[in-house]
Amino acid sequence: MKNTVFKTPTYTKPLSLLSDFVGNTPLMPLVFEKNKCVWGKSEFMNPSGSVKDRMAKHIIDNAESMGLIKTGDTLIEATSGNTGIAFSMLAAERGYKIKIVMPCNMSKERKQMMVLYGAELIEVDAGDFDGAIELRDELSEKRGWFNCNQFHNQLNIDVHYKTTGPEMQKQFLASNTDEAPAVFVAGTGTGGTIMGAGRYLKECFPDIKIVAVEPAESPVMSGGEPGLHGIQGIGDGSKFLVDLSFVDEIVTISTDQATKYAKKIAKKRGVFIGISAAANVWVAKNWLEKNPQHNHALTILCDRGERYLSCL
């Protein structure tokens, strides 16, 4: 028997980074009842598990291309969790240090994931996103750390206009449905997704309605006061990138409703999504039920459910 000789492969180009696989997530028919379908963009299939991978990669790629950051530099961001996980993954991938400022009442799974990627957590009081942003800005300026600035960054909108929206439009058309989507439903944290993907979809489907989702316990866009809630990732959108004149309707959902619906989707459809994603699906489904002349809704399945086990 001849000896087998293994040769080291020669690559003509650099191997792909994990972040090269951000985007191009499936659009799945998640709820289908009485000819009514909620199509969910499966953003939980991004490398770090959420829609925030798109924005984080776009901001880092842009900063690198402009020479604003280099290997070994320190990044800082304020977040409720998913953005912090996305930036922490990218920092580990590309050799940056990362500081994450976040309210202390976010899920322990989110915190653990960021620490495992090598991030340093700086916690502020429960629900204090304003305080987290102020501290981020202060530390960035004082210590020369790169401020990712998701809450006031046009790149956050641009990436969803250039990628998420076009992907959804092409995937929906490829499904060969016999009518256009009637509504696009999205929860608002920074507002980047609803403003970016929503604008693109509005250009493709002029009659589509744009519906924003926010927690009933923190109805900021509806004119109420911010409050503590358990739908992590949404709740403060009107103060940042959202143009309320673009939004056709604002719908609130309680933490309890969203949590129960996340469990129901897992048990009935085998799809374990996060609480804010479940809120999106619940609002989209109910919107179709209240508008019987329409059959198709588009929404975002923001992240995976594993990072909420301690909350469920």
mmCIF file of all heavy atoms in Angstrom, residues 238-262:
data_model
loop_
_atom_site.group_PDB
_atom_site.id
_atom_site.type_symbol
_atom_site.label_atom_id
_atom_site.label_comp_id
_atom_site.label_asym_id
_atom_site.label_seq_id
_atom_site.Cartn_x
_atom_site.Cartn_y
_atom_site.Cartn_z
ATOM 1 N N SER A 238 -37.472 56.803 18.789
ATOM 2 C CA SER A 238 -37.861 58.118 18.280
ATOM 3 C C SER A 238 -36.834 59.194 18.582
ATOM 4 O O SER A 238 -36.826 60.247 17.954
ATOM 5 C CB SER A 238 -39.219 58.529 18.862
ATOM 6 O OG SER A 238 -39.124 58.714 20.260
ATOM 7 N N LYS A 239 -35.952 58.943 19.547
ATOM 8 C CA LYS A 239 -34.963 59.957 19.907
ATOM 9 C C LYS A 239 -33.739 59.919 18.992
ATOM 10 O O LYS A 239 -32.899 60.804 19.050
ATOM 11 C CB LYS A 239 -34.507 59.750 21.351
ATOM 12 C CG LYS A 239 -35.588 59.986 22.387
ATOM 13 C CD LYS A 239 -35.004 59.997 23.781
ATOM 14 C CE LYS A 239 -34.418 58.647 24.144
ATOM 15 N NZ LYS A 239 -33.909 58.629 25.532
ATOM 16 N N PHE A 240 -33.631 58.909 18.169
ATOM 17 C CA PHE A 240 -32.405 58.729 17.416
ATOM 18 C C PHE A 240 -32.630 58.873 15.908
ATOM 19 O O PHE A 240 -32.789 59.973 15.405
ATOM 20 C CB PHE A 240 -31.765 57.390 17.803
ATOM 21 C CG PHE A 240 -31.492 57.294 19.276
ATOM 22 C CD1 PHE A 240 -32.137 56.349 20.058
ATOM 23 C CD2 PHE A 240 -30.621 58.175 19.900
ATOM 24 C CE1 PHE A 240 -31.907 56.273 21.425
ATOM 25 C CE2 PHE A 240 -30.385 58.117 21.263
ATOM 26 C CZ PHE A 240 -31.026 57.168 22.027
ATOM 27 N N LEU A 241 -32.710 57.791 15.162
ATOM 28 C CA LEU A 241 -32.709 57.868 13.709
ATOM 29 C C LEU A 241 -34.097 57.831 13.063
ATOM 30 O O LEU A 241 -34.224 58.053 11.861
ATOM 31 C CB LEU A 241 -31.871 56.718 13.141
ATOM 32 C CG LEU A 241 -30.392 56.716 13.549
ATOM 33 C CD1 LEU A 241 -29.708 55.443 13.049
ATOM 34 C CD2 LEU A 241 -29.671 57.940 13.008
ATOM 35 N N VAL A 242 -35.130 57.579 13.829
ATOM 36 C CA VAL A 242 -36.470 57.428 13.248
ATOM 37 C C VAL A 242 -37.070 58.777 12.865
ATOM 38 O O VAL A 242 -37.100 59.709 13.668
ATOM 39 C CB VAL A 242 -37.424 56.704 14.221
ATOM 40 C CG1 VAL A 242 -38.839 56.638 13.631
ATOM 41 C CG2 VAL A 242 -36.921 55.300 14.503
ATOM 42 N N ASP A 243 -37.568 58.857 11.638
ATOM 43 C CA ASP A 243 -38.356 59.997 11.178
ATOM 44 C C ASP A 243 -39.822 59.581 11.292
ATOM 45 O O ASP A 243 -40.325 58.800 10.478
ATOM 46 C CB ASP A 243 -37.992 60.324 9.729
ATOM 47 C CG ASP A 243 -38.838 61.454 9.139
ATOM 48 O OD1 ASP A 243 -39.694 61.997 9.872
ATOM 49 O OD2 ASP A 243 -38.650 61.769 7.948
ATOM 50 N N LEU A 244 -40.500 60.077 12.305
ATOM 51 C CA LEU A 244 -41.873 59.640 12.556
ATOM 52 C C LEU A 244 -42.832 60.002 11.431
ATOM 53 O O LEU A 244 -43.883 59.373 11.290
ATOM 54 C CB LEU A 244 -42.365 60.220 13.887
ATOM 55 C CG LEU A 244 -41.725 59.617 15.140
ATOM 56 C CD1 LEU A 244 -42.238 60.311 16.394
ATOM 57 C CD2 LEU A 244 -41.977 58.119 15.212
ATOM 58 N N SER A 245 -42.478 60.987 10.603
ATOM 59 C CA SER A 245 -43.332 61.325 9.475
ATOM 60 C C SER A 245 -43.318 60.220 8.414
ATOM 61 O O SER A 245 -44.210 60.146 7.568
ATOM 62 C CB SER A 245 -42.889 62.648 8.843
ATOM 63 O OG SER A 245 -41.612 62.526 8.232
ATOM 64 N N PHE A 246 -42.313 59.359 8.469
ATOM 65 C CA PHE A 246 -42.210 58.239 7.520
ATOM 66 C C PHE A 246 -43.031 57.045 7.989
ATOM 67 O O PHE A 246 -43.411 56.193 7.197
ATOM 68 C CB PHE A 246 -40.736 57.847 7.360
ATOM 69 C CG PHE A 246 -40.495 56.652 6.497
ATOM 70 C CD1 PHE A 246 -40.699 56.715 5.130
ATOM 71 C CD2 PHE A 246 -40.052 55.455 7.048
ATOM 72 C CE1 PHE A 246 -40.474 55.603 4.322
ATOM 73 C CE2 PHE A 246 -39.818 54.341 6.251
ATOM 74 C CZ PHE A 246 -40.032 54.419 4.883
ATOM 75 N N VAL A 247 -43.305 56.985 9.285
ATOM 76 C CA VAL A 247 -43.999 55.842 9.874
ATOM 77 C C VAL A 247 -45.512 56.037 9.774
ATOM 78 O O VAL A 247 -46.046 57.072 10.157
ATOM 79 C CB VAL A 247 -43.578 55.667 11.350
ATOM 80 C CG1 VAL A 247 -44.369 54.554 12.019
ATOM 81 C CG2 VAL A 247 -42.076 55.393 11.435
ATOM 82 N N ASP A 248 -46.204 55.023 9.260
ATOM 83 C CA ASP A 248 -47.661 55.104 9.103
ATOM 84 C C ASP A 248 -48.408 54.779 10.386
ATOM 85 O O ASP A 248 -49.504 55.288 10.627
ATOM 86 C CB ASP A 248 -48.124 54.142 7.999
ATOM 87 C CG ASP A 248 -47.611 54.543 6.628
ATOM 88 O OD1 ASP A 248 -48.006 55.624 6.149
ATOM 89 O OD2 ASP A 248 -46.809 53.784 6.049
ATOM 90 N N GLU A 249 -47.835 53.910 11.197
ATOM 91 C CA GLU A 249 -48.544 53.459 12.388
ATOM 92 C C GLU A 249 -47.532 52.999 13.433
ATOM 93 O O GLU A 249 -46.484 52.451 13.097
ATOM 94 C CB GLU A 249 -49.476 52.301 12.018
ATOM 95 C CG GLU A 249 -50.417 51.839 13.099
ATOM 96 C CD GLU A 249 -51.351 50.731 12.619
ATOM 97 O OE1 GLU A 249 -51.430 50.501 11.395
ATOM 98 O OE2 GLU A 249 -51.972 50.093 13.484
ATOM 99 N N ILE A 250 -47.839 53.238 14.700
ATOM 100 C CA ILE A 250 -47.022 52.762 15.807
ATOM 101 C C ILE A 250 -47.875 51.819 16.644
ATOM 102 O O ILE A 250 -48.998 52.157 17.026
ATOM 103 C CB ILE A 250 -46.529 53.925 16.686
ATOM 104 C CG1 ILE A 250 -45.699 54.907 15.852
ATOM 105 C CG2 ILE A 250 -45.711 53.407 17.864
ATOM 106 C CD1 ILE A 250 -45.449 56.230 16.546
ATOM 107 N N VAL A 251 -47.366 50.622 16.895
ATOM 108 C CA VAL A 251 -48.105 49.621 17.661
ATOM 109 C C VAL A 251 -47.279 49.230 18.883
ATOM 110 O O VAL A 251 -46.069 48.996 18.776
ATOM 111 C CB VAL A 251 -48.402 48.370 16.815
ATOM 112 C CG1 VAL A 251 -49.139 47.322 17.647
ATOM 113 C CG2 VAL A 251 -49.223 48.747 15.581
ATOM 114 N N THR A 252 -47.938 49.169 20.026
ATOM 115 C CA THR A 252 -47.253 48.753 21.253
ATOM 116 C C THR A 252 -47.609 47.307 21.590
ATOM 117 O O THR A 252 -48.692 46.824 21.275
ATOM 118 C CB THR A 252 -47.626 49.647 22.449
ATOM 119 O OG1 THR A 252 -49.037 49.540 22.691
ATOM 120 C CG2 THR A 252 -47.254 51.096 22.182
ATOM 121 N N ILE A 253 -46.667 46.645 22.244
ATOM 122 C CA ILE A 253 -46.886 45.276 22.711
ATOM 123 C C ILE A 253 -46.180 45.139 24.046
ATOM 124 O O ILE A 253 -45.080 45.672 24.242
ATOM 125 C CB ILE A 253 -46.353 44.246 21.687
ATOM 126 C CG1 ILE A 253 -46.520 42.815 22.229
ATOM 127 C CG2 ILE A 253 -44.912 44.534 21.297
ATOM 128 C CD1 ILE A 253 -46.174 41.723 21.202
ATOM 129 N N SER A 254 -46.799 44.440 24.976
ATOM 130 C CA SER A 254 -46.209 44.292 26.305
ATOM 131 C C SER A 254 -45.121 43.228 26.298
ATOM 132 O O SER A 254 -45.086 42.340 25.437
ATOM 133 C CB SER A 254 -47.288 43.919 27.326
ATOM 134 O OG SER A 254 -47.731 42.583 27.109
ATOM 135 N N THR A 255 -44.251 43.319 27.269
ATOM 136 C CA THR A 255 -43.203 42.310 27.419
ATOM 137 C C THR A 255 -43.809 40.923 27.583
ATOM 138 O O THR A 255 -43.326 39.946 26.999
ATOM 139 C CB THR A 255 -42.326 42.638 28.645
ATOM 140 O OG1 THR A 255 -41.700 43.908 28.438
ATOM 141 C CG2 THR A 255 -41.266 41.578 28.860
ATOM 142 N N ASP A 256 -44.872 40.830 28.352
ATOM 143 C CA ASP A 256 -45.516 39.535 28.593
ATOM 144 C C ASP A 256 -46.070 38.943 27.293
ATOM 145 O O ASP A 256 -45.890 37.751 27.019
ATOM 146 C CB ASP A 256 -46.645 39.697 29.617
ATOM 147 C CG ASP A 256 -47.288 38.369 29.985
ATOM 148 O OD1 ASP A 256 -46.569 37.484 30.487
ATOM 149 O OD2 ASP A 256 -48.503 38.204 29.758
ATOM 150 N N GLN A 257 -46.724 39.770 26.487
ATOM 151 C CA GLN A 257 -47.246 39.287 25.205
ATOM 152 C C GLN A 257 -46.126 38.785 24.307
ATOM 153 O O GLN A 257 -46.231 37.716 23.695
ATOM 154 C CB GLN A 257 -48.001 40.416 24.485
ATOM 155 C CG GLN A 257 -49.369 40.748 25.039
ATOM 156 C CD GLN A 257 -49.950 41.960 24.333
ATOM 157 O OE1 GLN A 257 -49.338 43.034 24.310
ATOM 158 N NE2 GLN A 257 -51.122 41.799 23.758
ATOM 159 N N ALA A 258 -45.058 39.566 24.199
ATOM 160 C CA ALA A 258 -43.952 39.212 23.310
ATOM 161 C C ALA A 258 -43.245 37.944 23.785
ATOM 162 O O ALA A 258 -42.886 37.077 22.969
ATOM 163 C CB ALA A 258 -42.969 40.373 23.227
ATOM 164 N N THR A 259 -43.059 37.828 25.084
ATOM 165 C CA THR A 259 -42.384 36.655 25.634
ATOM 166 C C THR A 259 -43.195 35.387 25.397
ATOM 167 O O THR A 259 -42.666 34.348 24.977
ATOM 168 C CB THR A 259 -42.139 36.842 27.147
ATOM 169 O OG1 THR A 259 -41.351 38.015 27.357
ATOM 170 C CG2 THR A 259 -41.415 35.641 27.734
ATOM 171 N N LYS A 260 -44.487 35.461 25.646
ATOM 172 C CA LYS A 260 -45.359 34.300 25.419
ATOM 173 C C LYS A 260 -45.382 33.916 23.943
ATOM 174 O O LYS A 260 -45.402 32.731 23.602
ATOM 175 C CB LYS A 260 -46.777 34.606 25.910
ATOM 176 C CG LYS A 260 -46.910 34.636 27.424
ATOM 177 C CD LYS A 260 -48.334 34.967 27.853
ATOM 178 C CE LYS A 260 -48.470 34.945 29.374
ATOM 179 N NZ LYS A 260 -49.838 35.340 29.811
ATOM 180 N N TYR A 261 -45.348 34.907 23.054
ATOM 181 C CA TYR A 261 -45.409 34.609 21.633
ATOM 182 C C TYR A 261 -44.094 33.994 21.144
ATOM 183 O O TYR A 261 -44.104 33.145 20.251
ATOM 184 C CB TYR A 261 -45.753 35.860 20.823
ATOM 185 C CG TYR A 261 -46.372 35.527 19.483
ATOM 186 C CD1 TYR A 261 -47.578 34.831 19.410
ATOM 187 C CD2 TYR A 261 -45.756 35.881 18.300
ATOM 188 C CE1 TYR A 261 -48.139 34.504 18.188
ATOM 189 C CE2 TYR A 261 -46.312 35.569 17.065
ATOM 190 C CZ TYR A 261 -47.506 34.875 17.024
ATOM 191 O OH TYR A 261 -48.055 34.546 15.806
ATOM 192 N N ALA A 262 -42.969 34.399 21.730
ATOM 193 C CA ALA A 262 -41.687 33.775 21.383
ATOM 194 C C ALA A 262 -41.726 32.286 21.716
ATOM 195 O O ALA A 262 -41.262 31.436 20.934
ATOM 196 C CB ALA A 262 -40.546 34.464 22.125
#
